[in-house]
Amino acid sequence: MSHAPLAQIMFCDGMHIAPTPNRAARPTYLLRKSARDGRRVTTQTPANLSALSIEQIEAMRRVLEGEKLGPLGGAFECIGSKLHGHVDAVRTAMARLGFDKLIDAKVSRYSVSFPNLKS
């Protein structure tokens, strides 16, 4: 049994943003991931962040450092929610009362059936 995956999980939280100089143009901002493999440190580049604004890059850098950008409690407002369960409750009550028989005394091809209901 190998313990290498556990070691990789323990040491792969090294994410950072690295600015790379770019001669006369704007620097390239790369998202880097560092991991230790025994004595060797490997670096991967999952994303190039150069298309983002400086403010967005700075916000990502702060999040990677563990900073919370703001309280989320008041950030969202519930403006409505979909109701559920009420349709199934009415359907079950109709089946228990025999609602299809109350509407029409004789069975016809237009009778309503309630499949898969527990009574």
Side-chain angles (χ1 to χ4, degrees):
M1 183 168 136
S2 173
H3 295 287
L6 181 60
Q8 287 176 345
I9 291 171
M10 288 171 52
F11 296 110
C12 74
D13 57 282
M15 298 281 283
H16 63 280
I17 296 175
T20 306
N22 206 5
R23 294 192 188 171
R26 177 181 175 215
T28 302
Y29 292 94
L30 302 173
L31 179 65
R32 294 282 175 100
K33 176 181 176 183
S34 301
R36 182 171 294 278
D37 184 18
R39 291 183 163 206
R40 202 178 77 177
V41 176
T42 59
T43 304
Q44 298 175 345
T45 305
N48 183 345
L49 306 175
S50 298
L52 300 176
S53 69
I54 296 296
E55 292 82 18
Q56 291 170 323
I57 293 170
E58 188 58 35
M60 285 187 66
R61 182 188 323 263
R62 289 168 44 196
V63 168
L64 288 173
E65 289 174 355
E67 182 180 338
K68 293 184 180 180
L69 297 182
L72 293 180
F76 301 102
E77 177 186 351
C78 182
I79 57 174
S81 63
K82 292 184 179 181
L83 299 175
H84 62 283
H86 64 290
V87 174
D88 191 47
V90 170
R91 206 170 149 208
T92 303
M94 288 172 62
R96 287 182 181 166
L97 292 172
F99 195 75
D100 56 340
K101 292 176 184 61
L102 294 173
I103 293 176
D104 193 4
K106 66 179 186 170
V107 177
S108 69
R109 61 182 171 158
Y110 301 106
S111 293
V112 178
S113 63
F114 300 97
N116 300 328
L117 288 180
K118 299 174 186 173
S119 50

